[in-house]
Amino acid sequence: MARRKKIYEGKAKTLYEGPEPGTIVQYFKDDATAFNAEKHDVIEGKGVLNNILSEFFMLGLGQIGVPTHFLKRLNMREQLVRSCEIIPLEIIVRNYAAGSISKRLGIDEGTQLPRPIVEYCYKDDALGDPLVTEEHIAAFGWASQQDMDDILSLALRVNDFLSGVFLAVGIRLVDFKIEIGRIYEGDFQRLVIADEISPDSCRLWDINTGQKLDKDVFRRDLGSLTDAYSEVARRLGVMPNNPPAPGKPTLVN
Ligand code: UDP
């Protein structure tokens, strides 16, 4: 059997050439990194949960007419996606202050923002993904004005969709990051939601208790990341049949 071709290995995912031209297999690893990969650990079961959660969100977005790169889940750790050219921006949408905006602007974590705020960071690990303005994006040609209009409208639609889905299961969507890809179809290009949508790239707080159910559990050493992501999957009704090991040995009678 021929060995498949690895296209790219990132911090949390590996990409392989897909079975047909224009397709890619996304393999979700168990690796967790934070602070630009200064903190690293392997969290058993994280990849399985993110694969299933990302499938759930991408399918839901497709159903409300938001285009995504997702084609189908292949197995517990892999999904087939459309190959696209990733725009080198991290699109961050914030509903409540937390993380870098709290530090930058001195706003208490948890403060509701007057309206959703969309920020752009230039995707470059070596530079630590710096915040950029639309001026930089236009001047350096990372995206056109038309792209930026489309990106803003996609980001706000994703925000409304995810906020509603999480609210229905008692979770507050504090903020999230998405990436956008271009797909060329003849003379046209289409923008689609790419990469992943998972608790690795969102801030999710329980509405009643404020408990964190996202990657801050790992960043800030707040307990078991698998337990937090499993809770999100359980509430959304997508917990895999064979839940990942909880990380602690269990006594068997
Ligand atoms: N985020 C991400 N990848 C990044 C940077 C941020 O997924 O490289 C997500 C992060 O999980 C949070 C949101 O984007 O949900 C806003 O992150 P923030 O700018 O507050 O950065 P942080 O506090 O993580 O440094």
Side-chain angles (χ1 to χ4, degrees):
M1 204 160 73
R3 203 179 166 82
R4 62 184 171 178
K5 191 171 161 210
K6 191 191 278 188
I7 298 173
Y8 174 79
E9 175 141 17
K11 286 174 279 193
K13 292 188 293 298
T14 306
L15 306 184
Y16 297 96
E17 216 167 57
E20 284 164 39
T23 64
I24 284 182
V25 174
Q26 278 198 153
Y27 176 97
F28 287 74
K29 303 195 287 185
D30 280 342
D31 297 62
T33 61
F35 313 119
N36 211 0
E38 272 170 41
K39 184 176 163 98
H40 175 253
D41 209 345
V42 174
I43 314 261
E44 202 181 324
K46 180 176 85 85
V48 171
L49 289 160
N50 281 354
N51 184 26
I52 280 163
L53 284 163
S54 198
E55 171 195 25
F56 174 77
F57 298 124
M58 295 288 183
L59 283 177
L61 285 168
Q63 284 183 351
I64 63 158
V66 173
T68 80
H69 72 159
F70 183 83
L71 291 169
K72 67 171 176 184
R73 184 162 63 80
L74 299 171
N75 54 50
M76 295 302 268
R77 285 196 180 269
E78 295 176 323
Q79 49 183 244
L80 190 68
V81 300
R82 291 187 68 179
S83 148
C84 48
E85 183 185 294
I86 297 287
I87 294 180
L89 296 173
E90 302 205 327
I91 323 293
I92 292 174
V93 183
R94 302 180 184 274
N95 299 305
Y96 293 79
S100 68
I101 197 174
S102 289
K103 285 202 203 88
R104 215 181 319 123
L105 302 181
I107 309 173
D108 285 343
E109 286 213 321
T111 307
Q112 185 166 19
L113 299 169
R115 61 184 174 89
I117 294 179
V118 182
E119 296 176 345
Y120 307 100
C121 293
Y122 178 53
K123 250 173 81 70
D124 186 319
D125 281 343
L127 299 175
D129 300 335
L131 188 69
V132 291
T133 68
E134 291 190 53
E135 272 292 287
H136 299 107
I137 296 169
F140 297 119
W142 296 324
S144 67
Q145 190 52 54
Q146 178 66 57
D147 289 337
M148 291 311 290
D149 293 347
D150 293 347
I151 288 172
L152 180 63
S153 123
L154 283 171
L156 293 175
R157 288 195 74 195
V158 173
N159 185 43
D160 283 347
F161 171 77
L162 291 180
S163 294
V165 168
F166 282 122
L167 187 62
V169 296
I171 293 174
R172 167 162 298 147
L173 177 64
V174 172
D175 60 30
F176 65 93
K177 182 264 305 186
I178 49 171
E179 295 186 20
I180 308 271
R182 295 178 208 279
I183 291 181
Y184 295 97
E185 286 163 358
D187 288 343
F188 296 92
Q189 68 142 20
R190 214 150 64 96
L191 298 186
V192 299
I193 311 299
D195 191 48
E196 70 178 276
I197 299 178
S198 75
D200 266 9
S201 50
C202 300
R203 279 199 172 90
L204 306 169
W205 297 356
D206 180 274
I207 282 190
N208 296 316
T209 65
Q211 186 193 357
K212 294 187 194 333
L213 299 169
D214 56 60
K215 206 164 93 174
D216 275 348
V217 171
F218 170 73
R219 292 189 190 100
R220 304 179 186 188
D221 295 317
L222 299 176
S224 159
L225 194 71
T226 321
D227 286 356
Y229 288 20
S230 298
E231 176 63 12
V232 175
R234 193 191 58 74
R235 290 198 199 183
L236 293 170
V238 296
M239 189 63 188
N241 289 336
N242 294 313
K248 285 188 221 114
T250 42
L251 286 176
V252 178
N253 292 321

